[in-house]
C-alpha cells in the first residue's frame, strides 16, 4: 500500500494553495491566541495536501478526484 497516492485534481490543489496563503500567516497577523495558532496549523496541513496532492480523508472514504492514474 502506497502512502502518498495522488487523489486530488489540479484545480482542487490550486484552491487549497490559495487558501493556505491566507491561513499560514494568521498567527503572525492576529494576536497570539489559540484560534490564530489553530488557523496556522490548518494552513500547514492544507499546504502539505496542496503540494503532495494526497488527502487522507479522501483515502479513508475511498474518494478520488484525480482523473489521471
Amino acid at each position: 500500500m502506497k502512502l502518498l497516492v495522488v487523489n486530488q485534481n489540479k484545480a482542487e490543489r490550486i484552491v487549497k494553495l490559495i487558501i493556505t496563503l491566507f491561513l499560514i500567516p494568521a498567527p503572525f497577523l492576529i494576536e497570539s491566541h489559540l484560534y490564530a495558532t489553530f488557523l496556522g496549523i490548518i494552513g500547514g496541513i492544507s499546504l502539505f495536501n496542496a503540494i503532495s496532492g494526497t488527502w487522507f480523508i479522501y483515502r479513508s472514504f475511498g474518494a478520488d478526484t484525480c482523473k489521471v492514474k
Side-chain angles (χ1 to χ4, degrees), residues 1 5-6 11 13-14 18 21 29-30 33 36 40 45 47-48 62:
M1 180 169 135
V5 177
V6 176
R13 291 171 73 178
I14 291 171
I18 292 170
L21 294 177
L29 298 176
I30 304 173
H33 292 304
I45 293 169
L47 179 66
F48 172 75

Side-chain angles (χ1 to χ4, degrees), residues 6-14 53 58 64-67:
V6 176
N7 60 2
Q8 293 178 349
N9 59 12
K10 194 172 203 175
E12 191 173 1
R13 291 171 73 178
I14 291 171
Y58 274 6
D64 188 5
T65 61
C66 185
K67 305 256 190 249

Side-chain angles (χ1 to χ4, degrees), residues 2-3 6 9 12-13 17 20-21 23 27 30 32 35-36 42-43 45 47 50 53 55 59 64-65 68-69:
K2 289 179 140 182
L3 186 61
V6 176
N9 59 12
E12 191 173 1
R13 291 171 73 178
L17 187 63
T20 298
L21 294 177
L23 291 178
I30 304 173
S32 285
Y35 179 70
I42 295 297
I45 293 169
L47 179 66
W55 196 24
R59 287 191 62 193
D64 188 5
T65 61
V68 179
K69 292 292 177 182

Side-chain angles (χ1 to χ4, degrees), residues 34-58:
L34 184 61
Y35 179 70
T37 306
F38 179 71
L39 287 178
I41 291 170
I42 295 297
I45 293 169
S46 181
L47 179 66
F48 172 75
N49 291 336
I51 291 173
S52 69
T54 186
W55 196 24
F56 294 109
I57 294 175
Y58 274 6

